[in-house]
Amino acid sequence: MNDSEIFEKICECVRAAGDIGDLEITPDLSVIDDLGMDSIDLVDFTFQLEQTFSIQFPLDEMEERTSREMGDVPFEIDSVLTPEGLEHLRKSLPEVPPERMFEGMTVYDLPKLIAIESICKAVKEKLEEKSSSVS
Amino acid sequence: MDFGLQGKTVLITGATGGIGVELSKGFLREGARVVAFCRGNEQKIRRWENEVDEVSREVDWLVVSADIEKREEIIKGLELTREKFGDPDILINNAGYEYERPFLMMPEDEIRKQLNINFLGPTFLMQEVMRGMVIRKSGSIVNISTVAARRFGRGISAYASAKSALERLTKILAVEVGRKGIRVNAVAPGLIETRMSQGIILRRGDQIIKEIALERFGKPLEVVNAALFLASDEMASYITGHVLAVDGGIGL
């Protein structure tokens, strides 16, 4: 499946999960701020992605991966991202404009960073993982 | 009266109990496909099969031995359900367990068991079943509560509290998943003539009946009719987060 096919299918999942009317979906749009999804829409969106691509998105995966990559360095203290946490986030999400990741940011702000492009990247990684585990 | 339940897959827990058997028969009569979750007592299951067989000639049903106290059994039971019928369209959380004893004498394991069967099991089942409902943007859940969730309840502290929690969850979930096309309601039966209420009816029946406006105990079928109504998208399409009392007007 090429990038454009992945993007189109993700757009179908967005339309199935959210109430976005005729809004044109572009890769830079944030699923929360721009597409207006709330927590239950995000759960719906995740289910739609899992079903459409036959992949799994465990909810604690991002947390686990971050903790693995950062080792003993704390990602957050009292829910506020540490400077190292912020730096890690910027490296992990290069597609997100840096100004959206600011000092004093909390873990509760993280879902707002999710853009369609980030989803495309995550789905692509999952599909590659799946095909390499099959072969 | 057409409830529009033909071909719908209905998962019913506590299917071998007094109300459970009638629920199964009721949904089968309406042409639904029934998945009966029950705990593995073979004798009770055979009896259930014999009872429902007479109404199930033209529709299909599946018996699943699953203890809803164990999440892994819920998941396994749902896998069997999906293999045969696909995702459930309707969930009836009917399983209930009551252990009557003054609070200060209630053993810890009995408190846990009552919370598990009356609240946590139904909670986990809803979590598992709602996934498919969210994807399809449609589904109906009916939790079977009790009149004791809101009043009475002496000697049944854990049971009544767990059912109270289930009613509260019913309302919260109705709000949370309503715009995904899922309705969540509850039925709160009063004293219904089943084996579960046999003890209290024998001990205090004469006294209690005076408090019931209709001056009689309820029949399982009367609870079933309320559940059919709430489960039906034809009949109750604009009803969610409601607890429907089927109690003959007890204590009015």
Side-chain angles (χ1 to χ4, degrees), chain B residues 5 16 18-20 29 45 73 77 93 95 108 114 118 138 163 174-175 179-180 192 194 208 232 234 241-242 249-250:
Chain B
L5 296 167
T16 53
I19 294 174
R29 257 187 233 110
I45 293 172
E73 292 200 17
N93 266 319
E108 181 181 334
Q114 288 176 90
N118 297 306
S138 131
K163 290 291 194 183
V175 174
R179 66 195 174 78
K180 296 293 172 189
I192 308 298
T194 63
I208 292 170
S232 160
E234 298 284 325
H242 186 71
I250 193 166

Side-chain angles (χ1 to χ4, degrees), chain A residues 16-18 38 40-41 43-44 47-48 50-51 56, chain B residues 87 127 130-132 134-137 176-177 179-180:
Chain A
D38 67 8
I40 186 74
D41 290 331
V43 173
D44 189 351
F47 291 169
Q48 302 286 345
E50 290 185 346
Q51 198 183 46
Q56 291 289 309
Chain B
D87 269 315
Q127 266 193 332
M130 265 186 193
R131 181 190 175 90
V134 165
I135 290 173
R136 293 193 311 278
K137 308 286 177 290
E176 212 169 283
V177 297
R179 66 195 174 78
K180 296 293 172 189

